[in-house]
């Protein structure tokens, strides 16, 4: 048994995409224990809900995070809309679904790039982000924003996309799928990459449930849990294929996320085929009085949104339970016994979004 | 199963193809049209209502009504486009191009420009062939053209009629600057003498801004004052010397403000709640709807909020109406004057904002209409206790219990507006 | 006389050649990643900037240790180019690396110390092959002297020592700190140990490391070239072409593999050493 030392890891560390602090208890290069600590970027966005008109708060809600931004805005709007009994136009539902799935594609590609950077494969990182750039271009052309779209509002969406552009997106998605296939062989078959991923950070089938993991973490441990099956927005009309794996390690989580991009591309194309014409927003009269809780599937897993109104234009409470928050216990668990070199892989495969977690 | 150098193909392909990154900032970045870069304001349209500043999530917009300024700290702006969406006057737009970074936060302030009396022609030199046709057509001889070479306009002579732009065969001239509507009070406009007018419509045909409409059936000659630039083309076109260009005969319409139609108003108070400047007060006991005209900026938030279309934005009537004209029913658009010719008797009716009786200040609402005197009645056989009436009631006077099969209306709160009866999908409510 | 001239040319020109090679490396890497990439002179400007920085040191001894590292790298290169004993060259090179390890250990930074540990593991992985290369060259030529080896007539030594050549190119990836074997420090501070051994270095100290790297790269390319020399002019051209090809191969490998863990590196390096060098050694012994 070697000498134990405590190495501080983060909140500022080159492999970390976002500030989380870990105290690593090491024996040589073996991690004996790990103590995660968050709270570096709390901004009090939830509290702001009692200071902003509930319709203006959408723009605050979507700034909870810079990557899964759209889904935060969407979760907030859906929960207020359901609470007020507003039925939004079907076209708005479909547009939300398309943009949500496009955010999933760009979020997963971003993550793949970060993972590649984490195991020191800079060329692969650049290639992933290059593909992601095409998705961002399409998002900017349709919504006006690259990551933060600001197209949601209570009652629907504020920007429409004409059908010709949608068909163009559908075609472009095929191209993106083909290019992704090319680089996915590097992720899944390359010897050096596999030596970093296979057998690292094993979260067993039972432990995943016990520690309350969500999203790709859960699905890579063999659970087919996906909130999109609840059929919110337009998901009820689409055929959804849930990607799972039974390998339980970092490799499985990479594989699940890569397959989820293909599924998302498929969902986008289905939604574009089925999108109805019509209105995109309904006027909202009155103020929310009731409370409502809704669960959405974000790129990082299940997120919970809760709103409570009091009849005025200011809501009493808005609460988000983000997927990263649910995944941190599982992350700390699977880090015990790994090596220092595995730390980045394990942190990255939960796809941490600390700014969402702290809001 | 695993293989090595799987990425070599892509790496070598990249090596021998041109790079995908650009040399920004040496090469400018290209943004799509829809890109949300920064907010721009058209100060000519802004009425300083302050709705944008109230709805800004980052509180970066400041509107000063007294100083007539609109300022924004662009470093705080998050480009959410909410101000653009809520602006009632479409004065704000969001356009591509990000605001350049800086070392300190500065606020950018815009002031209301001195009202331009008229628009000025601007030349698109690439289209112009210097034929000189515009100079011939200009009623004020303000344009000089050296054939084949030069083009210039004497802006002090120009009255912004836009005839040159209309006549140019090549579309080389565009009118730039404030529309004539900003002309303000006292600028000369076309006046008609109905004694001489034969309603032939030549003036209307010749007007470069389509400010004149002539209705032969109704025997009316109508001028949209905000479109008339006083160019005098109609005067020269008239065969009967019926038209003169002179200052508006009556006091021109003031700034548009909110006007209420008290026969429609249910005194629910939604307008007062939505007014950004608290210019409206509704007193249900005294049954009055009062507008503080000096606070009203004519933004239209009250009109948008009203469930009963009772509010219109129009210039305030200067005084209680003179003897009503017979065309009273024709709703007057802002700044429109209608001069009627009833029964071929040539009469000139002095200009006034047509329509309802003067609503400001403190209109007294007439007694409730007889049909609305009663409380809403619920037919319990038809009622499904869905609660829609409860949701729709602007005064929250109805309570519905779904399980308890309970429906009650609060007599004190109910304003007999009838929204519940309209909303009921089962026709269970009568009022 | 010729030896002294070569030695002086090396001492003066090596940093410039190394710098240019580094610049080409960065440009080619960028293009393989689809980027524009910096100018080929960028490493030179970087060095000037490092030298202009304020001297901030965690531990004053670190600078002297890094300076010693540089001096020993330069000495081993100079010994190589003046045609001295190959064993001496390799031992001087190993000594220089020891100074690097010491420099990294003088700080109490956990990342730097972990980097020092890994640097030692890297040496353990690569040194057997380095020494075996000297042995192989001796068996093929009967001398340890670089000058005599280079002037040896007949076919280039690479024909007799293909296994040693492959093995040496393999561990070159470790020596040049390229992916997949950049475990102790990497070109970008994007690994779990930030930048490993060089984490706590800045300014002039880091400049020493950069200059030493340029000298070392040129010398390593010289060793690659030595495999192709047989005393004729065309063999010199061949040596330069092969050295550049190997350098390009290293860049390609750097861009097409992930950083492996030290265990994998150790297994692979020793595996390749035993298989390639061992088989070649066996065949050489059989032919004698």
């Amino acid at each position: 048994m070697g000498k134990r030392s405590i190495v501080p890891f983060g909140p500022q560390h080159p492999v970390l995409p976002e500030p989380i602090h870990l105290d690593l208890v090491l024996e040589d290069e073996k991690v004996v224990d790990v103590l995660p600590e968050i709270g570096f970027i709390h901004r009090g966005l939830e509290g702001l809900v009692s200071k902003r008109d509930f319709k203006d708060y959408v723009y605050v809600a979507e700034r909870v995070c810079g990557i899964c931004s759209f889904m935060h805005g969407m979760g907030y709007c859906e929960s207020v809309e359901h609470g007020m009994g507003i039925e939004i136009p079907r076209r708005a539902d479909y547009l939300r679904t398309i943009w949500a799935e496009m955010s999933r594609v760009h979020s997963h590609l971003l993550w793949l790039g970060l993972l590649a950077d984490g195991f020191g494969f800079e060329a692969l990182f650049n290639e992933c982000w290059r593909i992601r750039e095409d998705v961002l271009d399409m998002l900017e052309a349709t919504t006006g924003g690259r990551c933060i779209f600001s197209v949601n509002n209570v009652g629907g969406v504020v920007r429409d996309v004409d059908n010709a552009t949608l068909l163009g997106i559908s075609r472009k998605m095929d191209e993106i799928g083909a290019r992704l296939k090319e680089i996915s062989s590097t992720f899944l078959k390359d010897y050096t990459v596999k030596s970093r991923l296979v057998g690292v950070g094993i979260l067993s089938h039972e432990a995943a449930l016990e520690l309350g993991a969500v999203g790709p973490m859960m699905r890579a441990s063999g659970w087919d849990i996906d909130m999109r099956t609840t059929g919110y927005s337009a998901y009820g009309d689409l055929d959804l294929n849930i990607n799972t794996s039974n390998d339980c390690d970092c490799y499985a989580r990479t594989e699940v996320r890569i397959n989820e991009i293909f599924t998302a591309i498929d969902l986008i194309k289905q939604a574009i085929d089925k999108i109805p014409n019509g209105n995109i927003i309904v006027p909202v009269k009155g103020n929310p009085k009731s409370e409502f809780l809704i669960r959405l599937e974000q790129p990082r897993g299940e997120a919970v949104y809760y709103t409570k109104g009091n009849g005025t234009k200011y809501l009493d409470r808005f609460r988000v339970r983000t997927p990263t928050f649910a995944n941190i216990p599982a992350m700390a668990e699977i880090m015990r016994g790994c090596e220092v070199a595995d730390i980045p892989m394990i942190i990255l495969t939960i796809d941490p979004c600390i700014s969402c977690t702290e809001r | 199963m695993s293989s090595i150098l799987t990425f070599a193909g892509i790496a070598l392909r990249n090596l021998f193809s041109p790079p995908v990154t650009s040399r920004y900032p040496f090469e400018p970045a290209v943004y799509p049209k829809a890109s949300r870069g920064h907010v721009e304001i058209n100060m000519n349209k802004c009425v300083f209502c302050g709705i944008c500043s109230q709805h800004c999530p980052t509180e970066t917009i400041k509107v000063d009504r007294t100083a007539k300024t609109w300022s924004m700290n662009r470093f705080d702006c998050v480009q959410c486009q909410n101000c653009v969406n809520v602006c009632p006057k479409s004065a704000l737009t969001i356009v591509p191009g990000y605001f350049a970074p800086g070392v300190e936060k500065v606020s950018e302030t815009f002031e209301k420009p001195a009202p331009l009396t008229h628009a000025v022609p601007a030349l698109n030199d690439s289209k112009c062939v210097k034929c000189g046709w515009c100079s011939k057509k200009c009623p004020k001889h303000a344009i000089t053209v050296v054939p084949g070479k030069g083009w210039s306009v004497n802006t002090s002579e120009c009255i912004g009629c836009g005839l040159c732009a209309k006549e140019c065969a090549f579309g080389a001239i565009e009118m730039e600057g404030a529309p004539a509507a900003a002309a303000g009070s006292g600028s000369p406009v076309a006046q008609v003498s109905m004694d001489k007018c034969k309603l032939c419509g030549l003036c209307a045909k010749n007007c470069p801004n389509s400010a004149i409409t002539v209705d032969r059936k109704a025997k009316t000659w109508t001028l949209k004052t905000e479109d008339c630039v006083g160019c005098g083309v109609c005067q020269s076109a008239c065969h009967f010397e019926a038209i003169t260009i002179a200052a508006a005969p009556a006091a021109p319409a003031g700034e548009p403000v909110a006007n209420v139609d008290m026969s429609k108003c249910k005194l629910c108070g939604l307008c007062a709640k939505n007014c950004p400047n608290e210019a409206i007060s509704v007193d249900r006991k005294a049954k009055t709807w009062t507008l503080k005209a000096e606070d009203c900026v004519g933004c239209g938030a009250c009109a948008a909020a009203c469930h009963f279309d009772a509010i219109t934005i129009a210039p305030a009537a200067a005084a209680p109406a003179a003897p009503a004209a017979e065309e009273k029913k024709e709703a007057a658009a802002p700044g429109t004057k209608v001069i009627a010719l009833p029964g071929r008797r040539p009469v000139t009716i002095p200009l006034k904002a047509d329509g309802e009786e003067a609503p400001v200040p403190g209109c007294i609402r007439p007694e409730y209409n007889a049909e609305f005197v009663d409380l809403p009645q619920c037919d319990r056989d038809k009622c499904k206790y869905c609660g829609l009436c409860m949701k729709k009631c602007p005064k929250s006077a109805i309570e519905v219990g779904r399980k308890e099969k309970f429906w009650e209306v609060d007599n004190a709160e109910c304003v007999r507006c009838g929204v519940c009866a309209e909303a009921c999908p089962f026709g269970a409510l009568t009022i | 006389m010729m030896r002294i001239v070569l030695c002086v040319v090396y001492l003066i020109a090596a940093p410039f050649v190394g710098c240019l090679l580094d610049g080409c490396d960065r440009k080619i890497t960028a293009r393989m990643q689809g980027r524009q990439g910096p100018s080929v002179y960028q490493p030179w400007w970087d060095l000037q900037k490092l030298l202009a920085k304020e001297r901030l040191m965690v531990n004053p001894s670190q600078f002297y240790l890094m300076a010693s590292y540089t001096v020993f790298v330069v000495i081993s290169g100079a010994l190589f180019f003046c045609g001295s004993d190959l064993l001496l060259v390799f031992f001087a090179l190993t000594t220089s690396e020891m100074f690097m390890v010491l420099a990294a250990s003088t700080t109490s930074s956990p990342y730097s110390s972990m980097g020092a540990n890994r640097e030692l593991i890297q040496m353990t992985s690569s040194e057997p092959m380095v020494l075996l290369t000297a042995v192989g060259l001796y068996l093929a030529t009967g001398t340890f002297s670089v000058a005599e080896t280079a002037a040896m007539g007949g076919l280039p030594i690479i024909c007799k020592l293909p296994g040693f050549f492959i093995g040496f190119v393999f561990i070159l990836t470790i020596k040049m700190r390229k992916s997949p074997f950049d475990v102790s420090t990497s070109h970008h501070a994007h690994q779990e140990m930030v930048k490993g051994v060089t984490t706590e270095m800045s300014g002039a100290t880091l400049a020493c490391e950069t200059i030493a790297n340029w000298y070392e790269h040129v010398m390593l390319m010289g060793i690659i070239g030595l495999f192709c020399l047989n005393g004729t002019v065309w063999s010199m051209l061949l040596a330069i072409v092969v050295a550049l090809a190997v350098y390009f191969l290293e860049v390609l490998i750097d861009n097409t593999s992930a950083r492996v863990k030290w265990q994998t590196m150790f297994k692979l390096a020793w595996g390749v050493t035993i298989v390639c060098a061992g088989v070649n050694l066996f065949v050489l012994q059989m032919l004698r």
Side-chain angles (χ1 to χ4, degrees):
Chain A
M1 188 174 156
K3 208 179 95 194
R4 287 196 177 185
S5 53
I6 295 178
V7 174
F9 199 87
Q12 301 291 328
H13 192 286
V15 292
L16 291 175
E18 290 193 51
I20 180 170
H21 176 81
L22 303 171
D23 275 323
L24 304 175
V25 183
L26 299 184
E27 267 174 26
D28 290 337
E29 285 213 10
K30 195 171 171 205
V31 179
V32 182
D33 200 4
V34 66
L35 302 164
E37 183 185 338
I38 58 171
F40 296 95
I41 39 169
H42 171 68
R43 290 153 290 160
L45 293 184
E46 279 179 347
L48 209 54
V49 81
S50 56
K51 301 263 194 317
R52 293 282 180 274
D53 187 317
F54 75 98
K55 283 188 226 167
D56 303 335
Y57 187 76
V58 182
Y59 305 105
V60 180
E62 65 181 4
R63 276 158 180 83
V64 162
C65 176
I67 298 301
C68 38
S69 145
F70 182 80
M71 307 238 191
H72 285 302
M74 177 171 163
Y76 171 79
C77 288
E78 295 251 337
S79 94
V80 173
E81 282 154 8
H82 282 92
M84 292 174 79
I86 300 165
E87 190 160 322
I88 71 163
R90 268 324 256 172
R91 190 172 174 85
D93 268 337
Y94 269 84
L95 283 172
R96 278 184 185 177
T97 307
I98 291 167
W99 280 324
E101 286 307 311
M102 281 170 82
S103 338
R104 193 182 311 279
V105 172
H106 98 68
S107 171
H108 277 1
L109 280 168
L110 171 118
W111 175 82
L112 280 172
L114 290 178
L115 181 78
D117 194 46
F119 54 62
F121 202 147
E122 210 195 336
L124 189 55
F125 155 74
N126 274 312
E127 200 64 22
C128 291
W129 281 39
R130 182 176 164 184
I131 301 177
R132 172 173 179 259
E133 203 58 30
D134 283 348
V135 185
L136 293 185
D137 282 349
M138 284 190 281
L139 287 170
E140 193 179 13
T142 51
T143 67
R146 277 160 59 85
C147 292
I148 298 185
F149 309 153
S150 301
V151 282
N152 267 322
N153 209 329
V154 177
V157 292
V158 296
R159 283 203 190 193
D160 200 358
V161 184
D162 63 86
N163 289 338
T165 313
L166 285 175
L167 285 177
I169 289 176
S170 182
R171 270 197 302 279
K172 191 86 188 173
M173 277 297 162
D174 282 333
E175 263 175 56
I176 286 169
R179 286 171 62 189
L180 180 67
K181 221 175 184 76
E182 215 175 14
I183 60 163
S184 69
S185 74
T186 304
F187 274 108
L188 301 176
K189 295 199 181 105
D190 194 272
Y191 173 78
T192 53
V193 174
K194 276 176 84 177
S195 79
R196 294 302 301 273
L197 297 177
V198 176
V200 172
I202 291 178
L203 178 69
S204 67
H205 189 65
E206 295 73 28
L209 189 69
E210 209 173 288
L211 294 165
V214 291
M217 270 299 255
M218 197 72 168
R219 293 194 280 277
S221 290
W223 295 93
D224 60 341
I225 296 178
D226 191 323
M227 285 309 120
R228 287 177 286 178
T229 49
T230 57
Y232 63 88
S233 215
Y235 286 107
D237 299 355
L238 310 174
D239 291 332
L240 174 67
N241 171 30
I242 303 176
N243 308 101
T244 57
S245 167
N246 292 319
D247 294 350
C248 310
D249 55 3
C250 286
Y251 180 79
R253 295 192 272 277
T254 311
E255 192 183 12
V256 164
R257 288 209 174 87
I258 288 178
N259 288 336
E260 272 183 20
I261 304 179
F262 290 118
T263 308
I265 291 175
D266 180 53
L267 285 174
I268 293 167
K269 291 173 65 183
Q270 282 186 42
I272 289 174
D273 283 345
K274 289 184 183 165
I275 190 166
N277 287 326
N279 244 337
I280 52 162
I281 192 161
V282 288
V284 176
K285 298 272 182 189
N287 294 321
K289 276 182 199 157
S290 50
E291 52 183 335
F292 201 85
L293 187 139
I294 192 168
R295 304 188 293 171
L296 305 189
E297 187 70 19
Q298 273 202 346
R300 289 157 182 78
E302 173 193 334
V304 177
Y305 298 88
Y306 168 79
T307 52
K308 184 180 176 211
N310 54 8
T312 67
K313 62 182 179 176
Y314 305 113
L315 295 181
D316 263 355
R317 187 86 173 88
F318 170 55
R319 171 93 176 93
V320 196
R321 203 295 313 274
T322 60
T324 305
F325 186 72
N327 277 334
I328 285 178
M331 177 191 82
E333 178 61 31
I334 57 180
M335 265 186 193
R336 295 198 176 97
C338 76
E339 278 180 54
V340 175
D342 296 333
I343 296 280
M345 298 299 102
I346 292 172
I347 296 179
L348 283 167
T349 50
I350 78 161
D351 199 354
C353 186
I354 308 298
S355 73
C356 303
T357 310
E358 298 178 7
R359 300 176 294 283
Chain B
M1 194 49 201
S2 13
S3 40
I4 56 161
L5 299 187
T6 45
F7 197 73
I10 301 174
L12 289 174
R13 194 180 62 206
N14 284 344
L15 179 62
F16 294 108
S17 33
V20 286
T21 54
S22 72
R23 293 178 56 79
Y24 181 81
F26 306 111
E27 286 169 19
V30 186
Y31 302 107
K33 249 189 229 155
S35 169
R36 285 195 311 272
H38 65 277
V39 174
E40 274 184 2
I41 183 162
N42 180 346
M43 289 308 283
N44 290 322
K45 286 184 181 172
C46 181
V47 292
F48 306 99
C49 64
I51 291 185
C52 49
S53 107
Q54 278 174 10
H55 285 270
C56 177
T58 56
E59 297 178 346
T60 178
I61 302 177
K62 302 272 178 295
V63 177
D64 190 335
R65 287 204 53 219
T66 43
K68 296 226 179 273
T69 57
W70 183 95
S71 53
M72 173 185 226
N73 183 344
R74 296 200 181 270
F75 292 95
D76 284 352
C77 175
V78 293
Q79 283 96 18
C80 65
Q81 209 190 348
N82 201 24
C83 51
V84 178
N85 293 344
V86 296
C87 180
K89 292 292 174 193
S90 311
L92 294 168
T93 42
I94 194 154
V95 291
Y98 297 111
F99 190 64
V103 288
E104 63 183 303
K105 287 187 168 187
V106 281
S107 187
E108 210 174 328
T109 303
F110 296 87
E111 282 175 11
K112 188 102 179 166
L116 266 180
T117 45
H118 53 73
V120 190
L123 187 74
N124 181 343
D125 207 54
S126 60
K127 286 182 181 169
C128 178
V129 295
K130 316 284 185 313
C131 64
W133 183 248
C134 49
S135 123
K136 270 180 205 148
K137 278 290 164 180
C138 179
K140 296 288 176 192
H141 309 291
I143 300 178
T144 349
V145 177
V146 183
K149 281 179 189 157
W151 183 95
S152 62
V153 61
N154 180 348
T155 41
S156 57
E157 282 293 311
C158 171
I159 47 154
C161 66
L163 202 61
C164 46
K166 203 178 175 192
E167 285 292 331
C168 180
F170 306 96
I173 300 177
E174 261 181 45
M175 297 304 287
E176 269 183 9
S185 56
S187 61
V189 290
Q191 306 287 325
V192 70
S193 154
M194 293 311 271
D195 299 338
K196 295 177 185 167
C197 178
K198 302 278 186 274
L199 293 168
C200 68
L202 256 182
C203 48
K205 268 183 204 159
N206 277 280
C207 179
N209 282 327
S210 314
I212 303 175
T213 40
V214 175
D215 190 337
R216 285 183 58 78
K217 269 194 194 155
K219 292 169 185 159
T220 56
W221 183 98
T222 318
L223 179 78
K224 263 195 190 164
T225 35
E226 75 266 26
D227 282 350
C228 175
V229 290
C231 64
V233 173
C234 47
Q235 186 183 20
S236 45
C238 183
H239 287 236
F240 313 104
E241 293 174 355
I243 300 179
T244 47
I245 302 292
E255 294 283 317
V257 291
N259 290 338
V260 69
D261 178 348
M262 289 310 276
S263 63
K264 289 180 185 168
C265 177
K266 304 280 186 271
L267 292 169
C268 69
L270 261 181
C271 46
K273 270 187 200 161
N274 278 281
C275 178
N277 287 319
E278 293 169 3
I280 301 176
S281 51
V282 175
D283 188 338
R284 289 189 41 77
K285 274 200 190 142
K287 288 171 188 163
T288 55
W289 182 98
T290 320
L291 180 82
K292 261 197 204 161
E294 69 272 25
D295 280 350
C296 177
V297 290
C299 67
C302 48
C306 183
H307 284 241
F308 314 107
D309 301 327
I311 301 180
T312 45
I313 301 296
E326 283 183 30
E327 276 74 15
K328 183 183 171 183
K329 285 297 158 203
E330 270 180 32
T336 304
K337 51 181 177 177
V338 176
I339 297 173
L341 186 64
R344 281 219 55 82
R345 201 157 54 85
V347 179
T348 309
I349 294 169
L351 173 86
K352 66 171 182 63
D354 213 326
E356 295 306 317
E357 288 182 27
V360 273
C363 302
I364 301 202
R365 188 187 186 280
E367 277 306 305
Y368 286 131
N369 289 349
E371 48 186 321
F372 284 163
V373 167
D374 293 326
L375 280 175
Q377 299 294 320
C378 177
D379 184 341
R380 297 305 171 104
D381 295 335
K382 289 181 185 167
C383 181
K384 304 266 191 275
Y385 303 96
C386 67
L388 208 57
C389 46
M390 175 171 75
K391 270 183 206 153
K392 293 279 178 174
C393 178
K395 300 300 291 180
S396 313
I398 302 178
E399 264 191 59
V400 180
R402 212 165 167 180
K403 280 188 193 149
E404 307 85 21
K405 300 223 180 250
F406 159 81
W407 185 97
E408 202 178 72
V409 60
D410 184 345
N411 189 17
E413 281 292 311
C414 176
V415 293
R416 280 83 166 161
C417 63
V419 169
C420 49
E422 259 174 57
C424 181
F426 313 105
L429 292 175
T430 44
I431 189 156
Chain C
M1 188 59 207
M2 179 66 183
R3 289 178 173 195
I4 306 292
V5 171
L6 250 181
C7 184
V8 171
V9 167
Y10 169 77
L11 286 177
I12 295 167
F16 298 100
V17 176
C19 174
L20 207 62
L21 275 177
D22 198 6
C24 293
D25 176 358
R26 288 177 68 168
K27 189 83 188 172
I28 292 171
T29 300
R31 295 302 294 273
M32 279 183 179
Q33 297 171 359
R35 293 186 284 119
Q36 295 269 0
S39 149
V40 287
Y41 304 116
Q42 189 64 44
W44 184 247
W45 299 332
D46 287 352
L47 181 78
Q48 281 182 333
K49 191 163 189 182
L50 280 179
L51 289 171
K53 294 252 177 191
E54 190 190 348
R55 283 179 68 154
L56 278 176
M57 257 162 271
V58 191
N59 189 333
S61 62
Q62 197 179 39
F63 176 73
Y64 299 105
L65 287 165
M66 281 313 285
S68 316
Y69 163 67
T70 314
V71 167
F72 270 89
V73 170
V74 175
I75 288 176
S76 69
L79 285 172
F80 177 80
F81 279 95
C82 73
S84 161
D85 195 319
L86 200 56
L87 277 176
L88 197 58
V89 171
F90 286 151
F91 286 133
L93 192 61
T94 313
T95 313
S96 73
E97 276 173 29
M98 285 314 299
F99 278 109
M100 167 82 123
V101 173
L102 286 174
S105 320
T106 50
T107 68
S108 54
S109 151
Y111 297 116
S112 189
S113 334
M114 248 192 285
N117 283 349
R118 289 195 184 179
E119 181 73 27
L120 285 170
I121 294 168
Q122 264 193 342
M123 283 164 70
T124 328
S125 313
S126 63
E127 284 314 310
M129 188 61 227
V130 173
L131 286 177
L132 276 176
T133 308
V135 173
L137 284 167
Y138 175 77
L139 285 177
T141 60
T143 172
F144 276 118
S145 161
V146 176
E148 285 172 33
T149 311
M152 191 78 65
L155 279 175
I157 318 158
I158 193 170
C159 304
K160 285 186 194 163
L161 303 172
F164 283 94
F165 184 74
I166 293 168
F168 192 78
V169 169
F170 192 84
I171 61 113
L172 201 59
T173 318
I174 302 177
K175 283 268 172 223
M176 289 171 71
R177 306 178 197 288
K178 295 254 179 222
S179 192
F181 303 132
D182 48 351
V183 291
S184 75
T185 181
S186 53
H187 287 254
H188 301 278
H190 278 197
Q191 58 168 311
E192 63 278 5
M193 297 188 318
V194 188
K195 213 171 180 307
V197 282
T198 53
T199 306
E200 302 299 329
M201 295 178 195
S202 66
T205 322
L206 202 55
C208 278
E209 197 248 352
T210 313
I211 295 172
N213 273 344
W214 293 343
Y215 272 108
E216 191 182 358
H217 286 185
V218 173
M219 187 193 66
L220 291 170
M221 288 303 118
I223 297 173
I224 291 291
L226 186 65
F227 276 94
C228 309
L229 289 175
N230 66 350
T232 58
V233 176
W234 66 262
S235 75
M236 277 186 170
L237 287 175
L238 179 71
I240 291 169
V241 170
V242 169
L244 289 177
V246 166
Y247 199 88
F248 178 76
L249 184 68
E250 288 300 333
V251 175
L252 183 66
I253 291 172
D254 186 29
N255 274 304
T256 50
S257 29
R259 178 185 308 117
V260 296
K261 287 193 262 187
W262 65 264
Q263 293 94 328
T264 322
M265 176 186 76
F266 189 76
K267 272 185 269 175
L268 281 175
W270 277 53
V272 170
T273 306
I274 290 166
V275 171
C276 295
V279 170
N280 204 159
L281 203 63
F282 182 71
V283 173
L284 270 183
Q285 289 288 3
M286 295 295 284
L287 290 175
R288 265 159 86 107

